[in-house]
Amino acid sequence: MKKMTVVGIIAEYNPFHNGHLYQLQTIRRHFPKAVIVVVMSGNFLERGEPACVDKWTRAKQALAAGVNLVIELPVAYCVQPADRFADGAIKLLKELRIDYLAFGAEHADYDFLAMAKKVQRVHGDFRQFNESYAAAYQRAVTDKLGHSVDQPNDLLGLAYAKAILANQAAIKIWPMQRIGAAYHEQQLPAGQAIASASAIRRAWQHDPHKIVPYLPATSRTIIQRKQPVSWDDFWPLLRYQLLVTPLARLRQLYDVTAGVEYRLLQQLEFLNDSPITFETWLKKVKTKRYTYTHLSRLAVIILLQLTSQEVEQQWQQPYLRILGFDTAGQRLLHCVKKNSLWPLIAKVSQDEKNGIMQNDYKAGRVYATIWHEQQDLKRSPIILDR
Amino acid sequence: MKKMTVVGIIAEYNPFHNGHLYQLQTIRRHFPKAVIVVVMSGNFLERGEPACVDKWTRAKQALAAGVNLVIELPVAYCVQPADRFADGAIKLLKELRIDYLAFGAEHADYDFLAMAKKVQRVHGDFRQFNESYAAAYQRAVTDKLGHSVDQPNDLLGLAYAKAILANQAAIKIWPMQRIGAAYHEQQLPAGQAIASASAIRRAWQHDPHKIVPYLPATSRTIIQRKQPVSWDDFWPLLRYQLLVTPLARLRQLYDVTAGVEYRLLQQLEFLNDSPITFETWLKKVKTKRYTYTHLSRLAVIILLQLTSQEVEQQWQQPYLRILGFDTAGQRLLHCVKKNSLWPLIAKVSQDEKNGIMQNDYKAGRVYATIWHEQQDLKRSPIILDR
């Protein structure tokens, strides 16, 4: 039996749109027989925000668009800066035995692995208190490479390549030129099929019908049924939590260090009288050192009350949580099952929910207070019959 | 200068209604020159629920109805069974140098102090796991007295009398025959002026206009401006807190002992799929041993994350928080200031909010997430010019 080719993707699908469909179609054209596996963030994402649609809906949309297997990236890896996010995802994809990592980049012609070798030991300089980790990191990268890497998807690609090297993974990279909207573009581009995820989320809040042209047919039903979830939904819970969590407990939470806890609480007190949103609060807390995104991640960590110990447990006890698959995906799962020591989790057991899955279980329950659908207990993977 | 006569009242005013007005008018008729001081629960009450109207509004209504001084009963004393609630209130009233304690009773002819002497050492039997503290207590009281005391205000009166003895307070009691509605009556009595507080709260939820006849004129404006606060408002916050508070932290909270924490969490998990209200959850958690009221108090303690240590701190560091006064009340305050070592708190300072007042400050901030008016910082006592 010929060994199957496996192509891996790291994605958030927030929400799943035509750009993602285009990427999958392109991969399928180049690898017609490959198994495509996606490691996807769960209900809380890399930029420190809730997913606008729950993980099950997004997994289903990905399967409908041609993905063969969807695995959940545990929350302890999701709510992390690019380097750690990439490291977690690559660890999972290595265990899933992928041959290629496909990713979109603003400069698909970069030699990401060669660049990664040069900057492998660069992790930014935390001693610079007047600039953010991200800024320090970019400066250091420019120093090493002789040119800057400052586009969001190029930076992610570089992080993936570094993680491949660090994990000594036998993974070839397959960068694709990104087309259409820029990552941070806030406007829907009229007359085109591809818009940025953030433009789609923004428009969805105000007028769901406007985003229809930018979504595959299979992703359209959800917008008739649900409002997109955002920080606005969780803000009352987070604000309340900040009022009752004692400082000593805050300091046990992951990455809540170096006095940032005082700033978080202080600004909330100053804003006590005015009508506050998540955004107004975070903009007040923001400094040169603590970026909006960094603080958003801390906000998720506080919302979910994830301690350092709990996050580190995740790194020591890895597993593969299956969200959905088709026949080809199932073949890959059989192969992984034979070769991996990691637990493959289809249905979450009592032991798992209190044990290795406890962070994701907690994240799912908090998400479900807004989404109103159970996320883990009694949920089985989606099985797609093609 | 003739010593002033001071009459004390322990009240919750949830909300302030004609029955309370009638009580004050009766006291005033008997003690025309007395200073009337009320020790009033803050924003969370003895039965384990949020006040339907904030403490400032209720203090203002009490002043308008003839009270001369309103002092806040700290939250650590409020959310307690009758005995401890009474003990806290009497400690404050003793420090306020009251001569008489006035209270309504179903049997105003009882000799409460004589009864209190007989049952002073009766505190119910916690070893009986198949009955509640309240049931065990009533049984023990009946044994000692030869007759039962089972009406809610009689029981409170007995608790006050016991607290007077226990605190060796030179306070005479002045029970008043309750008229009109029974304490637990759920219906508004047509054609009468006095309804029970719970009937008023219930009717207010559905039709604010219906409750107008049962409120003094000065209490009517609030119902045009606000919806009554209830557990329904705080339930999303409590439910979320139960999802993220680890067991070890739950066990640090006041009175969360003997495995009740498992029951609280377990029932929440069972109910995960159905639309849950505070009431449906609590009714599932309820057992013979854990009454609805006992569990409601635990719910407030969890909502506010009050640890045993924090509650006990309150008992060791007493203070008098002034909510409002008139000229007569001010005279009493001067006298108390001269004779008491307890801090008299008019405006909450930074030190106090992080120190002796921290529980009340926290309770006020959580309450304000629903009431939308700052409760402590920058608030001064209400001063009534008669």
Side-chain angles (χ1 to χ4, degrees):
Chain A
M1 187 177 135
K2 191 180 162 291
K3 186 198 168 293
M4 60 181 113
T5 300
V6 184
V7 179
I9 296 173
I10 299 164
E12 302 214 294
Y13 297 148
N14 187 41
F16 191 91
H17 59 63
N18 283 341
H20 301 122
L21 180 64
Y22 166 80
Q23 185 197 35
L24 290 170
Q25 288 168 339
T26 310
I27 295 169
R28 186 56 75 202
R29 259 200 310 280
H30 281 77
F31 302 94
K33 307 253 168 173
V35 177
I36 301 178
V37 52
V38 172
V39 165
M40 187 185 81
S41 302
N43 292 319
F44 292 91
L45 308 179
E46 198 268 337
R47 295 182 65 77
E49 58 193 354
C52 65
V53 170
D54 83 327
K55 61 189 180 190
W56 296 101
T57 309
R58 283 146 56 226
K60 200 172 166 186
Q61 292 167 349
L63 290 168
V67 170
N68 304 108
L69 173 63
V70 183
I71 298 290
E72 179 176 356
L73 184 64
V75 65
Y77 285 123
C78 289
V79 189
Q80 293 280 6
D83 271 9
R84 285 191 194 143
F85 173 85
D87 185 65
I90 292 296
K91 280 188 163 72
L92 267 68
L93 288 170
K94 182 186 176 189
E95 205 64 17
L96 288 160
R97 308 163 64 80
I98 66 165
D99 302 291
Y100 295 91
L101 175 75
F103 59 89
E106 287 84 0
H107 295 86
D109 54 333
Y110 278 167
D111 184 345
F112 285 93
L113 284 168
M115 283 158 60
K117 261 181 209 139
K118 288 190 191 157
V119 298
Q120 201 161 4
R121 252 151 221 99
V122 176
H123 292 287
D125 185 357
F126 267 119
R127 281 165 302 173
Q128 299 297 329
F129 274 29
N130 58 349
E131 69 179 342
S132 69
Y133 173 86
Y137 179 71
Q138 281 192 32
R139 201 170 31 74
V141 165
T142 308
D143 284 356
K144 287 272 181 191
L145 298 182
H147 66 89
S148 69
V149 179
D150 56 7
Q151 298 292 300
N153 289 280
D154 288 345
L155 279 163
L156 265 177
L158 184 57
Y160 298 152
K162 283 169 73 178
I164 288 171
L165 295 180
N167 286 285
Q168 299 177 295
I171 297 174
K172 293 180 272 290
I173 61 169
W174 200 76
M176 288 172 56
Q177 187 62 42
R178 273 177 69 91
I179 57 157
Y183 186 82
H184 289 303
E185 178 57 52
Q186 293 296 310
Q187 300 299 319
L188 293 175
Q192 294 176 36
I194 294 179
S196 76
S198 57
I200 293 173
R201 287 197 301 277
R202 175 179 290 243
W204 188 1
Q205 295 269 6
H206 303 111
D207 185 356
H209 298 291
K210 279 211 178 128
I211 67 171
V212 169
Y214 307 96
L215 302 182
T218 48
S219 297
R220 285 176 198 164
T221 50
I222 187 66
I223 63 167
Q224 288 150 5
R225 213 161 52 84
K226 294 263 197 183
Q227 276 286 306
V229 175
S230 76
W231 255 120
D232 290 342
D233 298 300
F234 289 102
W235 170 237
L237 305 182
L238 175 65
R239 184 185 47 181
Y240 154 70
Q241 190 62 267
L242 287 165
L243 298 179
V244 298
T245 310
L247 271 176
R249 166 91 187 143
L250 264 186
R251 288 198 198 99
Q252 291 170 359
L253 303 183
Y254 181 72
D255 210 20
V256 179
T257 51
V260 71
E261 65 276 20
Y262 291 107
R263 233 191 121 68
L264 298 170
L265 298 181
Q266 210 178 34
Q267 294 302 322
L268 193 62
E269 196 154 280
F270 289 155
L271 289 166
N272 218 355
D273 283 329
S274 36
I276 348 169
T277 63
F278 177 74
E279 213 181 317
T280 50
W281 171 65
L282 220 57
K283 281 187 174 160
K284 287 284 178 191
V285 179
K286 214 179 86 162
T287 62
K288 274 206 176 133
R289 185 176 175 209
Y290 296 114
T291 61
Y292 192 90
T293 306
H294 180 159
L295 292 168
S296 300
R297 286 189 203 109
L298 285 185
V300 172
I301 284 157
I302 294 167
L303 177 74
L304 302 180
Q305 297 276 295
L306 290 173
T307 63
S308 305
Q309 209 186 348
E310 284 167 334
V311 169
E312 280 150 25
Q313 175 200 298
Q314 190 98 52
W315 299 341
Q316 282 143 24
Q317 303 184 326
Y319 53 85
L320 294 168
R321 171 73 193 284
I322 307 161
L323 293 180
F325 53 83
D326 63 7
T327 319
Q330 195 164 26
R331 267 193 295 134
L332 175 58
L333 280 175
H334 283 310
C335 170
V336 170
K337 201 167 186 174
K338 260 187 243 156
N339 293 284
S340 172
L341 293 172
W342 293 17
L344 264 177
I345 300 179
K347 257 184 123 166
V348 179
S349 70
Q350 287 291 320
D351 276 358
E352 284 156 354
K353 94 177 163 56
N354 300 321
I356 57 172
M357 278 269 311
Q358 65 170 347
N359 296 335
D360 288 324
Y361 179 64
K362 185 160 65 166
R365 292 187 84 192
V366 171
Y367 192 82
T369 64
I370 305 297
W371 188 257
H372 300 301
E373 283 171 34
Q374 177 107 256
Q375 291 297 298
D376 292 293
L377 277 196
K378 298 179 203 159
R379 296 286 300 241
S380 305
I382 299 159
I383 301 175
L384 186 75
D385 260 332
R386 272 188 218 283
Chain B
M1 188 178 132
K2 192 182 163 290
K3 187 196 167 291
M4 61 181 113
T5 300
V6 184
V7 179
I9 296 172
I10 299 164
E12 302 214 294
Y13 297 148
N14 187 41
F16 191 91
H17 59 64
N18 283 342
H20 302 122
L21 180 64
Y22 167 80
Q23 184 196 35
L24 290 170
Q25 288 168 339
T26 310
I27 295 169
R28 184 58 74 201
R29 259 200 310 279
H30 281 76
F31 302 94
K33 306 253 168 170
V35 177
I36 301 178
V37 52
V38 173
V39 165
M40 187 186 81
S41 302
N43 292 319
F44 292 91
L45 309 180
E46 198 268 337
R47 295 182 65 77
E49 58 193 353
C52 65
V53 170
D54 82 328
K55 61 188 179 190
W56 296 101
T57 308
R58 283 147 55 226
K60 199 172 165 185
Q61 292 167 350
L63 290 169
V67 170
N68 304 109
L69 173 62
V70 184
I71 298 290
E72 179 176 357
L73 184 64
V75 65
Y77 285 123
C78 290
V79 189
Q80 294 280 6
D83 271 9
R84 285 193 193 141
F85 173 84
D87 184 65
I90 292 296
K91 280 189 163 72
L92 266 68
L93 288 170
K94 182 186 177 189
E95 205 63 19
L96 288 160
R97 308 164 64 80
I98 66 165
D99 302 290
Y100 294 91
L101 176 74
F103 59 89
E106 288 84 359
H107 295 85
D109 54 334
Y110 279 167
D111 184 345
F112 285 93
L113 284 168
M115 283 157 60
K117 261 182 208 137
K118 288 190 191 156
V119 298
Q120 200 161 4
R121 252 151 220 99
V122 176
H123 292 288
D125 185 358
F126 267 120
R127 280 166 303 174
Q128 300 296 330
F129 274 30
N130 58 349
E131 69 179 342
S132 69
Y133 172 86
Y137 179 71
Q138 280 192 32
R139 202 171 31 74
V141 165
T142 308
D143 284 356
K144 287 272 180 192
L145 297 182
H147 66 89
S148 69
V149 179
D150 55 8
Q151 297 293 300
N153 289 280
D154 288 345
L155 278 163
L156 266 176
L158 185 57
Y160 298 151
K162 283 169 73 178
I164 288 171
L165 295 179
N167 287 284
Q168 300 176 294
I171 297 174
K172 292 179 274 289
I173 60 170
W174 200 76
M176 288 172 57
Q177 188 61 42
R178 273 177 68 91
I179 57 157
Y183 187 82
H184 289 302
E185 178 57 52
Q186 293 296 310
Q187 300 299 319
L188 292 175
Q192 294 176 34
I194 294 179
S196 77
S198 58
I200 292 174
R201 287 196 301 276
R202 174 178 291 242
W204 187 0
Q205 295 269 5
H206 304 110
D207 185 356
H209 298 291
K210 279 212 179 125
I211 67 171
V212 169
Y214 308 97
L215 303 182
T218 48
S219 296
R220 286 176 196 164
T221 50
I222 187 67
I223 63 166
Q224 288 150 4
R225 211 160 53 83
K226 295 263 197 182
Q227 276 286 305
V229 175
S230 76
W231 255 120
D232 290 342
D233 298 300
F234 290 102
W235 169 237
L237 304 182
L238 174 65
R239 184 185 48 182
Y240 153 71
Q241 189 62 266
L242 287 165
L243 298 179
V244 299
T245 309
L247 271 176
R249 166 92 187 142
L250 264 186
R251 288 197 199 99
Q252 291 170 358
L253 302 184
Y254 181 73
D255 211 20
V256 179
T257 51
V260 71
E261 65 276 20
Y262 291 107
R263 233 191 122 68
L264 297 170
L265 298 180
Q266 210 178 34
Q267 293 302 323
L268 193 62
E269 196 153 280
F270 289 155
L271 289 166
N272 218 354
D273 283 329
S274 37
I276 348 169
T277 64
F278 177 74
E279 213 182 317
T280 50
W281 170 65
L282 220 57
K283 282 187 173 160
K284 287 283 179 193
V285 179
K286 215 179 86 161
T287 62
K288 274 206 177 133
R289 185 175 175 210
Y290 296 114
T291 61
Y292 192 89
T293 307
H294 180 159
L295 292 167
S296 299
R297 286 189 203 110
L298 285 185
V300 172
I301 284 157
I302 294 167
L303 177 75
L304 302 180
Q305 297 275 294
L306 290 173
T307 64
S308 305
Q309 209 186 348
E310 284 167 335
V311 170
E312 280 150 25
Q313 175 200 299
Q314 190 97 53
W315 299 341
Q316 282 143 24
Q317 303 185 326
Y319 53 85
L320 294 168
R321 172 73 192 284
I322 307 161
L323 292 180
F325 53 83
D326 63 7
T327 319
Q330 195 164 26
R331 265 192 296 134
L332 175 58
L333 280 175
H334 283 310
C335 170
V336 171
K337 202 167 185 173
K338 261 187 242 156
N339 294 284
S340 171
L341 293 173
W342 293 17
L344 264 177
I345 300 179
K347 257 184 123 165
V348 179
S349 71
Q350 287 292 319
D351 276 358
E352 284 156 354
K353 94 177 163 56
N354 300 320
I356 57 171
M357 279 268 312
Q358 66 170 348
N359 297 335
D360 288 323
Y361 179 64
K362 186 159 66 165
R365 292 187 84 192
V366 171
Y367 193 83
T369 65
I370 305 297
W371 188 258
H372 300 301
E373 283 170 35
Q374 178 108 255
Q375 290 297 299
D376 292 293
L377 276 196
K378 297 179 204 159
R379 297 284 301 240
S380 304
I382 299 159
I383 301 174
L384 185 76
D385 259 332
R386 275 190 216 282

